Amino acid sequence: MIKIAPSILSADFNTLGKDIAEVCSGGGDYLHIDVMDGIFVPNISFGIPVTASIRKQTEMFFDVHLMITKPHRYVERFCDAGADLVSFHVEADEPQDIFTAIESIRAKGKKVGIALKPKTPAEVLFPYLPLIDLALVMTVEPGFGGQKFMADMLPKIRTLRAEISRLGLDCEIEVDGGIDRNTSPLVKEAGATVLVAGSAVFRESDRAAAMEAIRNA
Ligand code: DX5
Ligand code: ZN
C-alpha cells in the first residue's frame, strides 16, 4: 500500500491547523514536517515549538525530515515534541554520531529514517539499512518546495529497493521532491512506498482529491 505524506512546507502557515485537518481527513498517511536550519540547506523553516504545537491538534503520524547539521544533537527533542518517525541526512553527521542518532531515536520508541541528497549514492546507506525503518531519497536538492523532479534519481530508488529485498528487510523507501500525479507512477514502479508531496497537494483547493490522484496515478 502506497502512503502519501503531504508536506506542510507548502501549507499556508496562517491557517496551518485548517490545512492539517484537511489532509488528515482527506486520507493523508504521514504528515511530513520539513525542518531546516539555514546551514545544511539554504533555507530556514520551523522546528520544535511548531511540531509540539501541531501535535496537540492531530493524531496523524508525524514524519519529521531534519535538514539540519549535526542532527544527533536534536533528534531526542523532536521525539519529545511528537515525532513518530525522525529522518536525518547521512551527509549531516559523522558516522559515529549517525549511530548515536539512530540509538537515541530508538530509545524514545520512535521510527528512524535516513535521507540522501541527490548527489549521495545509494551505497552510502547500505551499512545503515538493517538499523532503520525508512530510506528517504531526495528527488530535488533539499531546501525548497515546488522544484522539478529529478528523474535521474530513479536508478537510486531501484538500487535501494534491490538491496532491501536482498537483505529481506522491512524498510520503506520515501521519495521527496517534485512528486505529483505525473511523477508518482515513475517512483512507485522504481520501488518507493511513501510519497511526499508539498505543492502538488497544498496548491490544490481539494486536498483529498489531490492526494488520491497522486496515490492512484
Ligand atoms: C524540500 C522538502 C520537501 C518539500 C517538497 O527540501 O524536503 O519535503 O516540501 O515539496 P514539493 O512536493 O513541492 O517538491
Ligand atoms: Zn522533506
Side-chain angles (χ1 to χ4, degrees):
M1 177 66 177
I2 297 294
K3 296 185 178 78
I4 304 295
S7 164
I8 57 168
L9 190 63
S10 294
D12 181 348
F13 298 147
N14 196 39
T15 54
L16 184 56
K18 172 181 144 301
D19 283 5
I20 292 171
E22 284 181 14
V23 293
C24 180
S25 65
D29 299 286
Y30 290 0
L31 192 71
H32 188 80
I33 300 172
D34 286 304
V35 177
M36 304 180 185
D37 67 353
I39 297 173
F40 183 71
V41 290
N43 197 9
I44 298 175
S45 56
F46 43 72
I48 295 163
V50 169
T51 305
S53 176
I54 60 177
R55 179 74 288 173
K56 293 185 211 139
Q57 183 207 330
T58 177
E59 298 288 309
M60 261 183 112
F61 185 97
F62 276 12
D63 164 26
V64 172
H65 176 192
L66 298 180
M67 287 162 273
I68 65 174
T69 193
K70 301 194 183 305
H72 74 279
R73 300 172 299 159
Y74 286 102
V75 292
E76 288 174 319
R77 278 192 258 175
F78 278 96
C79 292
D80 292 340
D84 295 292
L85 179 148
V86 179
S87 291
F88 57 87
H89 274 264
V90 73
E91 307 89 355
D93 235 327
E94 301 300 325
Q96 74 265 24
D97 291 330
I98 290 173
F99 288 111
T100 301
I102 293 170
E103 285 166 18
S104 301
I105 298 165
R106 286 261 176 261
K108 291 283 184 184
K110 308 298 183 182
K111 293 191 169 178
V112 183
I114 299 188
L116 295 172
K117 291 169 81 172
K119 290 191 182 70
T120 306
E123 290 74 13
V124 172
L125 215 48
F126 284 7
Y128 305 106
L129 284 177
L131 305 174
I132 64 177
D133 302 290
L134 177 145
L136 200 181
V137 177
M138 292 304 302
T139 44
V140 297
E141 285 295 340
F144 301 91
Q147 301 182 77
K148 189 176 181 301
F149 174 77
M150 298 169 70
D152 53 346
M153 293 299 108
L154 293 169
K156 189 193 289 192
I157 300 168
R158 289 196 190 96
T159 301
L160 281 168
R161 177 51 65 204
E163 183 66 3
I164 288 166
S165 299
R166 191 182 73 78
L167 298 172
L169 300 171
D170 183 21
C171 183
E172 304 256 29
I173 298 180
E174 182 174 53
V175 286
D176 185 4
I179 303 298
D180 58 19
R181 64 189 73 190
N182 299 314
T183 55
S184 109
L186 306 174
V187 294
K188 286 193 284 187
E189 183 276 328
T193 50
V194 185
L195 277 50
V196 176
S199 46
V201 170
F202 285 105
R203 74 171 170 230
E204 304 289 337
S205 55
D206 187 341
R207 277 74 194 257
M211 290 189 289
E212 276 318 287
I214 294 165
R215 195 195 302 279
N216 298 325

